[in-house]
Amino acid sequence: MPLEEIKLNIKRPEINYSIFIEDGILGKIKNYLPNASKYFLLTHKHLYDLYGEKIITPLQNVLGVKTHFLPDGEKAKSWDNSREILESMLHFQMDRKAVVIALGGGVIGDMAGFVSSIYQRGVDFIQIPTSLLAMVDSSVGGKTAVNLGGYGKNLIGAFHQPKLVLIDPLVLDSLPELEWKNGLAEILKYSFLREDNGEFYEYLDNAPQPSKGGALKEFIQVSVQTKADIVKQDETEKTGKRALLNLGHTFGHVLETASEYQISHGLAVSIGIRLAAELSFKLKLINLEVKNKIIDLLKKYDLPIKIPTINKTQGDFQSEKLIDLFMHDKKVENNKINFVLPVGHLSHCEVVEFNDKEVLKEILSLCF
Ligand SMILES: NC(=O)c1ccc[n+]([C@@H]2O[C@H](COP(=O)([O-])OP(=O)(O)OC[C@H]3O[C@@H](n4cnc5c(N)ncnc54)[C@H](O)[C@@H]3O)[C@@H](O)[C@H]2O)c1
């Protein structure tokens, strides 16, 4: 007689990996890389010219290494390119003991993570983030994704944690100014949600303006620690804890989309954090002092709290249009929009459902 219910109880091994943050760590990479049958490096040509040799040279004599270049920019994070990479991995005859190395910003990291998650049902990959945003955000936490045509960003992907993350703050020397700001916005975001009674906020508020070298190391360390602490409580965004990392992102995505991506992600998040603080204040979830402190920190780091003048002519920024975009966001459930809002004090956020369109229009008008 067949049983009606068969239970399969698989105890998944604990996911455990190290994140090393050290000036010059790229020069010592061989000490850190795990053994592998082959290495497959995914990067951009211009980053390879700057840093690729440091990775390739120590490996070349020992093992098979192949480099695959991805064009620069968000458009390259495509389904078609992932197929091309997978074919390149197959031609290279990688087996399941081969390791993929991502050298680049979030585009490279997301793409390398995605192909690693599906190549022969999953191979290990290593993140070597080179943009500030990738260092403090996308390289940690195991979200991988590609974009599929016009369906929106990051809709195809998998949770696939890296085996190792190596962060060398010295590579930030070559990072363009705008990318620097995109990363700073995410760093400030952590200070508004990390449940430390405002300690990181005070640190950032009193710190001298960071330069691209070592002064930034502490900023990166605290940010990565914050992300790691949150991810380990809710790896696959089931309990709402990981969703807190979306502070500023609900408003931000709408502004990014309305500007046809002329407003960069980090700058949109910065404006989005300001709007989240305004909504929170309107709903009496925070007082005026907390709202002003949030806005003051964004201003201190020269991040926008309104749509920059240069972008105003490039998109459609009417409140009505923006409300429509909200309703199509991934975070909308049963017509309710989930906002991450600061609540109570400075370093605490909660997910709050809200859909009063008139109030939203009023809040949005503050950033025009
Ligand atoms: N997986 C996640 O958890 C997660 C989180 C946040 C963002 N993301 C994704 O990350 C992507 C954005 O990442 P990003 O901001 O790093 O963009 P990006 O990867 O496009 O890098 C930004 C630009 O900086 C250049 N660059 C990177 N490092 C450099 C360096 N050291 N010197 C000179 N130039 C350098 C890149 O070539 C690129 O032109 C988006 O696709 C987003 O969806 C993923």
Side-chain angles (χ1 to χ4, degrees), residues 44 46-47 50-51 72-74 77 104-110 129-135 137-145 147 153-154 171-176 179 182 186 227 242 249 265:
H44 301 306
H46 75 107
L47 292 177
L50 287 167
Y51 308 112
D72 214 32
E74 181 67 28
K77 215 175 84 177
V107 163
I108 291 285
D110 276 15
T130 58
S131 70
L132 185 54
L133 181 136
M135 288 180 186
D137 190 357
S138 59
S139 65
V140 174
K143 276 192 182 178
T144 76
N147 306 321
K153 277 179 68 174
N154 298 332
V171 306
L172 295 171
D173 279 343
S174 55
L175 193 70
E179 302 308 334
N182 283 331
E186 300 289 349
K227 178 138 189 200
R242 186 166 183 163
H249 286 59
H265 179 72

Side-chain angles (χ1 to χ4, degrees), residues 208-222:
Q209 281 290 345
S211 60
K212 290 186 195 173
L216 195 68
K217 208 161 127 194
E218 276 93 38
F219 288 22
I220 299 172
Q221 277 164 339
V222 180

